[in-house]
Amino acid sequence: MNREKVKHAFTAAQEIVKSHLKDFKGGFPAPASENQFYPKIENIDWTAGFYTGMLWMFYEESKDTIFRETAQEHLKSFDNRINKRIWVDHHDMGFIYSPSCVAAYKLTGNTKAKETALKAASNLRSRFQEKGQFIQAWGMIGDTNEYRLIIDCLLNLPLLYWAFEETKDISYQEVALAHLKTALSVLIRDDFSTYHTYYFNQKDGSPAYGATKQGYSDESAWSRGQAWGIYGIALNYPHYRKDSLKTTWKGVTDYFLAHLPKDLAAYWDLYFMEGDEPRDSSASAIAVCGILEACRQKLCPESYRQKAYAILESLIDHYAAKTEDVGNGVLKHSTYGRLLGEGIDEYCL
Ligand code: GLY
């Protein structure tokens, strides 16, 4: 694995995204492609921020102003969305607003984008349930069928840490840390596999039971969920530097690594380690980011870096789209929701 190879893959991804900017003019890619092409949708789903965030990254690396201008154009739709409360009754405020609006503020000093992201952070904080001490993942607050948290939310907590830094309002940090502690206490099983979601008793807030939404079964480990755990714990560590987090991170990561097939691209659920089930390359990509972040934070031994590079190399060699490939995504063979029948062996996220 060498720098040149990564650079080459990054540039190829950039070229693909640039050549398909027109596909999404005035809109955003759907969470998963259909027959390898992402449909264009409005700013209504949880993945909108990833697209704008990619454009900011390409701008940061290449200084090509087309990426900056396009990302800039997106910002008003993010503001409109939170102002008009268009599909914002859920926890994904960090996924949506961190790579788009927080990034815009950090990269370009755009204070309007900062205000937009703060509104999203406030919305996320408002989903905190005192009884149970967690951020409710989906649905209207108090919905009796939705009194649960999900592992993916670990990735949304950095929006709250950022809001605390910007406003000095400690309640953002308090909510994030309370959720983090609750989530890790219920989601991680003894063998360090993870539940996708976890329900609480609405009357007294006591933990009730784990359940999956996108995985194979309630007791299996949905690959992308486990990967969100790897990345999420690493992103929370700077705000909660406890040895317990190190132990949990190592366990969750080792479980993921031990359940990968030979080419290191996860099947869609870690229950599968061989055979014909579809892969979820996005899970392995997320795990790479999580391991590299953990190395950066000194949350794990440096030796993990080589494990991340091995996965990355396989993704580059066998899963990264080439400019001549059919489709408008950058990482092939992902799975969005196998049993939901959505985005199977497609580009996703
Ligand atoms: N956060 C939803 C997913 O990973 O599909």
Side-chain angles (χ1 to χ4, degrees):
M1 184 63 175
N2 59 56
R3 258 192 112 69
E4 276 314 298
K5 190 171 205 172
V6 177
K7 232 176 135 179
H8 186 266
F10 185 87
T11 307
Q14 182 176 300
E15 285 313 305
I16 290 169
V17 170
K18 187 172 178 177
S19 68
H20 288 284
L21 283 175
K22 58 186 178 324
D23 299 7
F24 305 111
K25 191 143 182 60
F28 292 82
S33 65
E34 292 173 12
N35 299 318
Q36 312 307 321
F37 284 90
Y38 285 102
K40 179 168 87 174
I41 60 171
E42 290 185 16
N43 191 338
I44 52 166
D45 221 315
W46 73 280
T47 48
F50 294 155
Y51 183 51
T52 309
M54 275 205 296
L55 303 182
W56 283 129
M57 278 199 298
F58 292 141
Y59 169 66
E60 206 178 2
E61 273 307 299
S62 68
K63 298 289 174 276
D64 184 338
T65 52
I66 188 71
F67 294 119
R68 177 179 174 143
E69 283 158 16
T70 312
Q72 191 74 33
E73 273 170 28
H74 289 174
L75 296 179
K76 47 186 177 304
S77 80
F78 286 97
D79 194 49
N80 184 53
R81 179 170 178 173
I82 192 69
N83 289 338
K84 298 208 176 123
R85 300 198 58 79
I86 301 167
W87 205 70
V88 292
D89 288 311
H90 57 84
H91 71 112
D92 282 321
M93 295 300 107
F95 281 125
I96 297 169
Y97 284 91
S98 294
S100 57
C101 297
V102 177
Y105 172 56
K106 286 186 177 172
L107 266 178
T108 71
N110 185 327
T111 50
K112 171 87 178 163
K114 170 184 156 182
E115 294 312 317
T116 305
L118 285 175
K119 287 182 233 174
S122 169
N123 186 46
L124 180 58
R125 182 183 53 181
S126 76
R127 298 186 64 76
F128 186 68
Q129 292 290 3
E130 288 292 340
K131 276 190 192 158
Q133 297 283 299
F134 67 96
I135 293 171
Q136 186 183 318
W138 298 307
M140 300 305 286
I141 282 297
D143 180 339
T144 42
N145 296 318
E146 288 297 349
Y147 210 66
R148 60 172 155 173
L149 59 76
I150 68 171
I151 195 163
D152 320 27
C153 189
L154 295 175
L155 283 284
N156 290 319
L157 303 182
L159 181 67
L160 297 178
Y161 299 128
W162 170 80
F164 164 54
E165 280 156 22
E166 290 298 328
T167 63
K168 308 294 175 231
D169 180 343
I170 189 98
S171 66
Y172 286 111
Q173 169 110 331
E174 286 169 348
V175 161
L177 291 177
H179 177 90
L180 173 69
K181 288 178 211 167
T182 307
L184 296 183
S185 73
V186 296
L187 290 171
I188 320 289
R189 303 188 189 102
D190 288 347
D191 64 356
F192 291 101
S193 66
T194 54
Y195 286 110
H196 180 196
T197 87
Y198 209 95
Y199 282 96
F200 293 78
N201 187 321
Q202 205 164 2
K203 284 208 177 73
D204 62 8
S206 57
Y209 59 95
T212 197
K213 178 126 174 191
Q214 281 151 285
Y216 173 64
S217 75
D218 290 342
E219 292 303 322
S220 70
W222 174 50
S223 302
R224 199 158 63 246
Q226 188 90 14
W228 287 137
I230 297 169
Y231 200 2
I233 295 169
L235 289 172
N236 278 274
Y237 183 64
H239 308 279
Y240 192 65
R241 286 190 184 275
K242 300 281 181 209
D243 283 347
S244 61
L245 234 57
K246 284 189 172 178
T247 311
T248 307
W249 184 88
K250 186 177 181 312
V252 169
T253 304
D254 288 348
Y255 187 94
F256 184 87
L257 295 172
H259 288 78
L260 293 178
K262 274 204 187 68
D263 75 355
L264 307 179
Y267 283 94
W268 66 279
D269 192 291
L270 297 178
Y271 177 78
F272 305 104
M273 291 175 66
E274 57 182 12
D276 296 333
E277 285 294 323
R279 303 302 183 99
D280 182 10
S281 56
S282 79
S284 285
I286 292 162
V288 169
C289 296
I291 296 171
L292 294 180
E293 181 64 23
C295 292
R296 200 166 78 89
Q297 300 295 346
K298 304 205 182 319
L299 159 60
C300 64
E302 258 306 291
S303 53
Y304 277 83
R305 189 180 293 280
Q306 295 313 320
K307 299 176 201 272
Y309 285 166
I311 301 174
L312 181 58
E313 183 154 28
S314 179
L315 292 178
I316 291 173
D317 288 344
H318 308 297
Y319 291 83
K322 300 189 176 47
T323 39
E324 63 273 20
D325 280 338
V326 173
N328 58 6
V330 296
L331 189 64
K332 298 186 278 191
H333 307 305
S334 289
T335 293
Y336 189 67
R338 169 79 170 96
L339 300 184
L340 304 172
E342 291 172 20
I344 299 166
D345 198 15
E346 292 282 349
Y347 295 103
C348 80
L349 309 185

